[in-house]
């Protein structure tokens, strides 16, 4: 408890259950904050306790409604700065607009950079986040960024399932590096689904499967599932190529649009996700397993507050899994 002195954890409204779980792991109470919207949709924030010279952490997943979550975060940061907080760390389990990380068409924005600028200008001194869609987003900030990963958590879950003849499948070439690292943790071979996105529409065209999945348990891995088009198309491809069973996992379960319909109709045996974004009961499929990132975030917050190494704990987790697999 002495280590937690002068540290306060606050939560926006986007993912309060996760914030409460993190607070329990830290052995503290969430900071007192009042947040509501006026009838004209203007957001009001009032901090109901002193934060002067405190090490303040603000948890806010930039999830639905995305624009409201972003603006709410910026207002909370501004309120903390004006209340003379010593250091302000934005804890963003899910970073919205991560796919808009480059100018890949004429006259389009780089919104991931814009969001980074907004958070910095609002007054954040540091950012903690989990599994960015593109690693280059870290460079969009002019403040320290700690990008954590839930891949060890997901890999550990499947390692203990002891699936026979497993093969890790990347849902596209762009995700191949993440999938390769995941396959290394599971001591499994890698296959890749090659696909092409048609313009700005939420649909893709699958072109080819690189690798062998015949007679094996295929484990699809991605950083997020949004409309579930890519993951269900990939599931169909590996089944058509002789996979015995298909499992899927991701860090961020956005599950928008027709995602639930597509997943329910797919042949995916089990879908394993984390709680970086809240998943309402109506989206709890029978084959859905939710793992919590609260212990990981709590330990990271503790290490940032005390000045301990953040990377060391994850390197230890990685080495421990590789040692057990060997």
């Amino acid at each position: 408890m002495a280590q937690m002195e002068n540290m306060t954890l606050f939560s926006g409204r986007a993912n309060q259950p996760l914030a409460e779980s993190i607070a329990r792991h830290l052995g503290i109470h969430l900071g007192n904050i009042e947040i509501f919207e006026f009838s004209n949709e203007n957001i009001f924030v009032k901090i109901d306790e002193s934060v002067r010279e405190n090490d303040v952490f603000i948890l806010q997943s930039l999830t639905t409604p995305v624009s409201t979550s972003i603006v709410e975060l910026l207002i909370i940061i501004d309120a903390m700065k004006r209340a003379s907080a010593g250091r302000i760390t934005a804890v963003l389990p899910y970073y919205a607009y991560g796919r808009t990380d480059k100018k890949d068409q004429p006259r389009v924005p780089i919104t991931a950079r814009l969001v980074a600028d907004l958070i910095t200008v609002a007054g954040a001194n540091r950012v903690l986040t989990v599994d960015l869609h593109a690693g280059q987003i870290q460079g969009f900030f002019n403040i320290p960024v700690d990008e954590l990963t839930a891949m060890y958590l997901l890999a550990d879950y499947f390692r203990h399932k002891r699936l026979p003849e497993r093969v890790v499948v990347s849902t596209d070439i762009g995700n191949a590096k993440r999938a390769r690292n995941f396959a290394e943790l599971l001591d499994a071979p890698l296959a890749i689904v090659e696909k092409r996105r048609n313009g700005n529409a939420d649909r893709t065209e699958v072109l080819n499967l690189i690798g062998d999945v015949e007679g094996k348990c295929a484990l699809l891995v991605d950083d997020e599932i949004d409309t579930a088009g890519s993951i269900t198309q990939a599931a169909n491809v590996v089944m058509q190529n002789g996979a015995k069973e298909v499992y899927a996992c991701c860090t961020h379960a956005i599950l928008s649009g027709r995602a639930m319909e597509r997943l329910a109709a797919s042949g995916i045996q089990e879908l394993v996700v984390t709680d970086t974004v809240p998943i309402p009961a109506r989206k709890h499929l029978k084959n859905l397993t939710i793992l919590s990132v609260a212990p990981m975030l709590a330990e990271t917050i503790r290490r940032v507050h005390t000045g301990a190494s953040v990377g060391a704990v994850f390197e230890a987790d990685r080495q421990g899994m590789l040692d057990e697999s060997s």
Side-chain angles (χ1 to χ4, degrees), residues 177-195:
K177 182 178 179 181
R178 192 190 312 268
R180 183 195 65 199
N181 294 338
F182 196 77
E184 182 184 8
L185 292 173
L186 291 174
D187 191 25
L190 175 66
I192 302 171
V193 174
E194 183 187 10
K195 70 178 184 182

Side-chain angles (χ1 to χ4, degrees), residues 177-250:
K177 182 178 179 181
R178 192 190 312 268
R180 183 195 65 199
N181 294 338
F182 196 77
E184 182 184 8
L185 292 173
L186 291 174
D187 191 25
L190 175 66
I192 302 171
V193 174
E194 183 187 10
K195 70 178 184 182
R196 180 176 299 160
R197 186 166 296 278
N198 296 325
N200 296 319
D202 283 332
R203 59 181 185 273
T204 57
E205 177 187 357
V206 174
L207 301 178
N208 193 20
L209 175 68
I210 305 169
D212 179 26
V213 298
E214 187 171 359
K216 299 180 181 180
C217 291
L219 175 52
L220 306 174
V221 60
D222 209 341
D223 63 311
E224 74 174 70
I225 297 176
D226 186 5
T227 61
S230 295
I231 203 85
T232 52
Q233 282 185 335
N236 289 336
V237 168
V238 296
M239 284 188 288
Q240 290 167 6
N241 280 268
K244 182 170 59 177
E245 290 182 325
V246 180
Y247 295 79
C249 68
C250 75

Side-chain angles (χ1 to χ4, degrees), residues 18-218:
L18 177 58
E20 291 166 358
S21 182
I22 292 170
R24 285 194 297 271
H25 279 87
L26 288 170
I28 63 174
H29 296 288
L30 281 178
N32 295 318
I33 188 170
E34 185 180 355
I35 307 172
F36 67 85
E37 289 184 29
F38 291 107
S39 58
N40 63 359
E41 299 182 7
N42 286 191
I43 298 172
F44 176 82
V45 170
K46 183 176 184 293
I47 306 162
D48 289 330
E49 61 182 81
S50 174
V51 294
R52 184 175 295 274
E53 297 305 320
N54 269 23
D55 194 6
V56 171
F57 294 81
I58 304 166
L59 187 132
Q60 180 82 321
S61 289
L62 304 185
T63 185
T64 184
V66 175
S67 296
T68 298
S69 295
I70 292 172
V71 173
E72 183 175 291
L73 171 67
L74 300 177
I75 294 172
I76 296 172
I77 292 172
D78 184 73
M80 296 295 176
K81 182 176 65 174
R82 295 177 189 278
S84 301
R87 180 175 65 176
I88 302 169
T89 301
V91 183
L92 314 176
Y94 174 67
Y95 188 85
Y97 290 104
R99 292 179 176 178
T100 319
D101 62 316
K102 56 186 175 294
K103 192 176 179 189
D104 53 1
Q105 301 176 48
R107 298 175 297 281
V108 297
I110 305 178
T111 317
R113 172 60 190 265
L114 174 61
V115 173
D117 288 343
L118 291 171
I119 292 169
T120 305
V121 171
N125 303 114
R126 192 180 195 98
V127 167
L128 298 182
T129 190
V130 181
D131 283 326
L132 292 167
H133 183 68
Q136 70 196 46
I137 296 172
Q138 293 185 49
F140 293 170
F141 289 88
N142 292 319
I143 56 177
V145 177
D146 289 308
E147 182 190 0
L148 314 179
T149 180
M151 289 295 121
Y152 299 120
L153 179 67
L154 294 166
D156 190 58
Y157 176 85
F158 281 104
R159 188 171 58 81
H160 284 95
K161 283 185 75 73
R162 301 187 183 280
L163 298 175
E165 295 186 87
R166 58 200 175 198
V167 55
V168 172
V169 181
S170 175
T171 56
D172 63 36
I173 292 176
N175 189 53
K177 182 178 179 181
R178 192 190 312 268
R180 183 195 65 199
N181 294 338
F182 196 77
E184 182 184 8
L185 292 173
L186 291 174
D187 191 25
L190 175 66
I192 302 171
V193 174
E194 183 187 10
K195 70 178 184 182
R196 180 176 299 160
R197 186 166 296 278
N198 296 325
N200 296 319
D202 283 332
R203 59 181 185 273
T204 57
E205 177 187 357
V206 174
L207 301 178
N208 193 20
L209 175 68
I210 305 169
D212 179 26
V213 298
E214 187 171 359
K216 299 180 181 180
C217 291

